[in-house]
Amino acid sequence: VRFELAKSILSSITSPDLLEDETTTPQGKAIRWIVCDDSTSVQLLENQDPATGNLPKQEHGFRLGGNAGEAQVTRRYILAAFFYSTSQVSPWIDSLNFLSPDLHECNWHKNYTRSNFPFGDFDPVGVSCQDELDGNMLLDDYQYPVEFMMVNIRIVNDLNGPLPPEIGYLMDCRSLMLENHLRLTGPLPQTMGNMAGLFSVALLLNGPNFGGALPSSLFQLNYLNTIHIQDNLGKNWSLPTNVQVGDDTQLERLLLVRNSFAGIIPPWISKLKQLQTLDLSKNNFQGAIPETIGDLSSVKYLNLLGNNLTESIPSSLGKLSEIDALILGENALQGELPASIGTLRTLQLLDVGSNELTSTIPSSFANLESLKYLVLESNSLNGTVDVLESMKNLTVLLTRSNSFSGALPDGLFSGTSDNVVVDIGDNKFTDELPTSFANMS
């Protein structure tokens, strides 16, 4: 009876065929644990109201998921399916209190100590929760309603196997963080678009069989702020070709760094109007930088370093009025430096080194009054560098391996008291070094 009741509750997120296979599938093992071993779920299932058919309510429940007993059974089932799906070859090194039948799921964690976690040295690894009133950690919902839960397994714990599609129905999950699991496999589930409370995703240093096309639904979540995917060993990562991005998207940080992402940079990225950080560095993106990238009116940090990007630098970058850092180095970009970049008065770092650029430095660059770091090395740029004299905050200048000529301007670096880094070798400069160089350190 408990099994049939649990199956009727869970069949909206899992196929009944998978639920009925109790010995082979992670879903079957999870429902078996729910109805046979999990005293919390058993108590709820055995006390169904005969009049309404509803399970007993939780004490306070979760903000999004509510306080229905069915929601707690579902939540514990999802976490159990996650546990079984990622321990198919061998058990986790530390169970992290997962599948503890007498503990509320907010207590399915172990406390670790390290310095790079929002709580300081205190790092609850596993499932942790915060309350709705003042953000304190909760081990259950007995006294206060739960605002959200976090799934954080950023330790070497040997998760092995794929993430199950059921994890996409953890609507109260605010952050999903998985790190250092070399035997994770498969892509992110398409169901992640159902995680209405998701604020951040961080997937770092995972194994060679983990990865795939990111779910398009992930970019349609209204609350999502950060996607950070970095230093994973898988070779199959890609962005979706088409996403219908809504006007109310809140994504501010998209970091896909050193993951072997391939294909073009899709134009729909320009519709992420709240994006402040876009870092696609050290991947295998190819083709042109889309002209529409200039529509990212809120972006402050744009890094496309170390890809296979070709064609010219789009002049639309001149519309990025809030940008601090523009990094386009180590690609195969051709043609001219766009004069429009000279309108970016907030720009502090410009790196176009190691490309195939062939122009002079536009006179409009004299307006880059905030620029501190300028990397032009390893191109075929030519002409004089007189325009650099107007950059009073410049402290790093790398122009090696170009065809610049003429004299260095007398006022170069005269406006800064900071340490200066200069590499101007392998050019065609003439005359002596400026007198301003005598005062540099």
Side-chain angles (χ1 to χ4, degrees):
V1 175
R2 290 200 303 265
F3 178 84
E4 291 302 320
L5 178 55
K7 186 172 73 169
S8 69
I9 295 170
L10 302 173
S11 59
S12 62
I13 64 172
T14 300
S15 164
D17 292 341
L18 294 176
L19 293 171
E20 291 169 359
D21 189 348
E22 299 180 26
T23 59
T24 305
T25 68
Q27 294 82 0
K29 294 176 182 178
I31 193 174
R32 180 179 178 82
W33 177 78
I34 287 289
V35 300
C36 296
D37 301 318
D38 180 22
S39 56
T40 299
S41 296
V42 168
Q43 184 176 12
L44 290 169
L45 294 168
E46 288 188 339
N47 286 278
Q48 181 187 30
D49 187 321
T52 64
N54 296 329
L55 302 187
K57 292 184 181 300
Q58 305 166 62
E59 291 295 332
H60 290 89
F62 283 65
R63 179 177 65 87
L64 289 178
N67 64 352
E70 288 83 353
Q72 185 170 27
V73 170
T74 300
R75 193 164 50 244
R76 292 172 76 85
Y77 161 76
I78 292 170
L79 293 169
F82 168 68
F83 177 84
Y84 283 118
S85 185
T86 56
S87 57
Q88 295 192 49
V89 179
S90 58
W92 293 1
I93 295 172
D94 187 332
S95 70
L96 305 175
N97 283 331
F98 268 64
L99 275 59
S100 296
D102 298 323
L103 291 179
H104 191 280
E105 55 274 19
C106 287
N107 205 356
W108 287 5
H109 62 260
K110 296 283 186 70
N111 295 327
Y112 281 72
T113 301
R114 60 182 185 177
S115 60
N116 62 335
F117 197 70
F119 294 106
D121 291 341
F122 177 59
D123 186 357
V125 176
V127 176
S128 58
C129 300
Q130 290 188 18
D131 72 30
E132 193 173 14
L133 299 177
D134 51 19
N136 290 329
M137 282 197 62
L138 294 177
L139 300 181
D140 52 53
D141 70 331
Y142 300 157
Q143 291 183 310
Y144 304 100
V146 177
E147 173 71 9
F148 58 79
M149 68 164 46
M150 298 181 292
V151 179
N152 159 40
I153 309 183
R154 298 190 305 155
I155 60 169
V156 176
N157 205 38
D158 196 25
L159 273 62
N160 52 91
L163 300 181
E166 287 76 15
I167 201 169
Y169 296 96
L170 275 179
M171 66 174 63
D172 291 288
C173 181
R174 188 178 192 266
S175 62
L176 175 63
M177 298 175 282
L178 302 175
E179 184 175 322
N180 277 307
H181 303 293
L182 293 180
R183 293 201 291 169
L184 273 180
T185 63
L188 298 184
Q190 292 291 331
T191 54
M192 289 185 70
N194 296 296
M195 301 177 77
L198 193 63
F199 183 82
S200 65
V201 178
L203 308 169
L204 286 74
L205 300 163
N206 295 300
N209 296 314
F210 181 58
L214 297 186
S216 59
S217 59
L218 192 62
F219 296 91
Q220 297 171 317
L221 290 170
N222 294 340
Y223 187 56
L224 186 63
N225 174 274
T226 300
I227 300 174
H228 187 183
I229 301 176
Q230 181 169 340
D231 290 320
N232 296 287
L233 300 177
K235 303 297 182 184
N236 297 318
W237 292 97
S238 64
L239 285 167
T241 55
N242 188 35
V243 177
Q244 299 298 317
V245 178
D247 293 336
D248 49 359
T249 176
Q250 299 299 311
L251 191 66
E252 294 183 359
R253 303 174 70 242
L254 178 58
L255 301 96
L256 312 175
V257 182
R258 291 189 295 271
N259 296 286
S260 299
F261 274 88
I264 66 168
I265 298 175
W268 58 260
I269 281 183
S270 63
K271 298 179 181 178
L272 300 171
K273 299 301 184 184
Q274 303 301 317
L275 204 62
Q276 297 182 20
T277 297
L278 176 59
D279 190 345
L280 307 181
S281 60
K282 296 294 183 177
N283 285 289
N284 295 317
F285 287 110
Q286 59 192 31
I289 301 173
E291 186 72 27
T292 54
I293 205 163
D295 295 336
L296 293 173
S297 56
S298 298
V299 77
K300 299 179 182 297
Y301 180 88
L302 174 57
N303 189 350
L304 305 180
L305 178 83
N307 283 283
N308 300 312
L309 299 172
T310 57
E311 302 188 33
S312 60
I313 299 175
S315 60
S316 64
L317 291 175
K319 297 192 295 182
L320 302 179
S321 59
E322 302 292 326
I323 196 163
D324 297 325
L326 177 57
I327 305 170
L328 308 176
E330 297 181 22
N331 283 287
L333 298 169
Q334 303 166 357
E336 300 181 348
L337 281 170
S340 60
I341 290 178
T343 65
L344 303 176
R345 295 183 178 274
T346 61
L347 189 65
Q348 299 184 42
L349 166 60
L350 175 61
D351 180 359
V352 294
S354 300
N355 278 289
E356 300 171 13
L357 303 174
T358 56
S359 69
T360 60
I361 303 176
S363 60
S364 61
F365 277 34
N367 298 318
L368 296 176
E369 54 196 36
S370 300
L371 197 67
K372 296 180 179 180
Y373 311 96
L374 179 59
V375 182
L376 304 174
E377 62 190 3
S378 300
N379 282 285
S380 297
L381 297 168
N382 57 79
T384 70
V385 294
D386 293 345
V387 68
L388 303 183
E389 189 170 14
S390 301
M391 300 177 183
K392 299 304 183 183
N393 289 302
L394 196 64
T395 57
V396 173
L397 175 62
L398 306 179
T399 67
R400 172 176 287 276
S401 298
N402 280 285
S403 296
F404 290 121
S405 58
L408 295 172
D410 285 337
L412 187 62
F413 300 116
S414 61
T416 180
S417 58
D418 295 336
N419 292 339
V420 171
V421 176
V422 185
D423 186 352
I424 57 175
D426 194 16
N427 279 283
K428 300 176 182 179
F429 291 119
T430 57
D431 213 341
E432 298 180 351
L433 291 176
T435 56
S436 58
F437 276 44
N439 301 319
M440 294 194 314
S441 60

